[in-house]
Amino acid sequence: LMSVIYVLSTVLISWFTLFADNWRQFIFFYFLVYTVVFAIAYLLYTDTQFLQKITQKYLSSSLDEADMKLILKKINASFNEDKPYLDKSLNLTTFGEIIGEKPHSISQTMSVCVGKNFNEYLNAYRIEHAKKLLIDPAYNHYKIEAIALDSGFNNKVTFNKSFLKFTGITPSAFKKKYN
């Protein structure tokens, strides 16, 4: 990083020489550039997390930690009580309408507090529901695709990919293992 800063400052000084009419102006430009370079270097040296802070995804968000905890409680309550994840057409926008929150607030809460995006969180609940159906003797005569549809997935392919991602095995292997 320091090498990049050095090269950029050298290029910048060379560029400033085009504007210098005499030696005194060149010294001024030279001093100005190196003051900025040293200030940046000092800032990076004293605050090692500076670059991470300015590249945060939600840097300008007005949502604080207390608001996110409240939204997370709403999300969990809705998922555990109302089971909206069983709706095939559920997406971030419609879920925001269900719990009365803006989609970007839900997205930020999921990203910061849970470490997953909304679809990953949604599919995790759907997979847990599908696992219960796969080991339930009352559903033994159901095909895997029917269980996928009952769990909120739109098709078998998406269900199989998600199931494999979350459990490490296919739905049919899971059903054989527990039946």
Side-chain angles (χ1 to χ4, degrees):
L1 183 63
M2 290 306 291
S3 298
V4 170
I5 291 172
Y6 176 76
V7 168
L8 289 177
S9 63
T10 305
V11 169
L12 192 59
I13 287 173
S14 299
W15 183 70
F16 276 147
T17 58
L18 297 174
F19 299 106
D21 293 332
N22 57 35
W23 178 248
R24 290 179 198 252
Q25 285 182 348
F26 176 77
I27 291 173
F28 172 74
F29 290 136
Y30 183 84
F31 181 73
L32 178 71
V33 169
Y34 273 101
T35 302
V36 170
V37 168
F38 283 121
I40 291 171
Y42 179 76
L43 179 68
L44 292 175
Y45 180 76
T46 58
D47 187 7
T48 57
Q49 302 298 319
F50 178 75
L51 293 177
Q52 290 176 343
K53 288 178 188 175
I54 63 171
T55 59
Q56 279 182 333
K57 187 174 182 179
Y58 301 108
L59 184 64
S60 63
S61 175
S62 63
L63 203 60
D64 63 0
E65 193 174 331
D67 293 335
M68 286 190 280
K69 285 182 180 180
L70 182 65
I71 292 170
L72 187 59
K73 282 183 182 180
K74 285 182 177 182
I75 293 168
N76 289 331
S78 178
F79 269 67
N80 292 324
E81 295 168 12
D82 303 331
K83 300 182 181 182
Y85 53 88
L86 298 177
D87 180 8
K88 293 174 184 64
S89 63
L90 185 69
N91 60 32
L92 187 58
T93 304
T94 57
F95 184 67
E97 292 170 1
I98 291 170
I99 66 168
E101 293 292 339
K102 295 177 182 172
H104 65 272
S105 298
I106 296 170
S107 179
Q108 179 179 348
T109 300
M110 299 300 294
S111 181
V112 173
C113 296
V114 181
K116 296 179 182 178
N117 66 36
F118 179 73
N119 287 329
E120 289 172 337
Y121 190 77
L122 178 65
N123 286 340
Y125 268 87
R126 287 175 172 170
I127 294 299
E128 287 303 314
H129 182 76
K131 285 167 49 178
K132 290 175 187 172
L133 296 181
L134 286 168
I135 61 175
D136 188 350
Y139 289 88
N140 276 346
H141 63 284
Y142 277 56
K143 291 185 176 184
I144 301 288
E145 188 171 2
I147 289 176
L149 296 173
D150 283 353
S151 300
F153 286 94
N154 288 322
N155 58 56
K156 187 178 177 181
V157 174
T158 306
F159 173 66
N160 284 337
K161 285 181 181 179
S162 294
F163 200 93
L164 187 60
K165 177 183 173 185
F166 285 102
T167 63
I169 59 174
T170 63
S172 54
F174 182 85
K175 188 173 185 175
K176 285 178 187 175
K177 182 178 178 181
Y178 288 100
N179 283 338

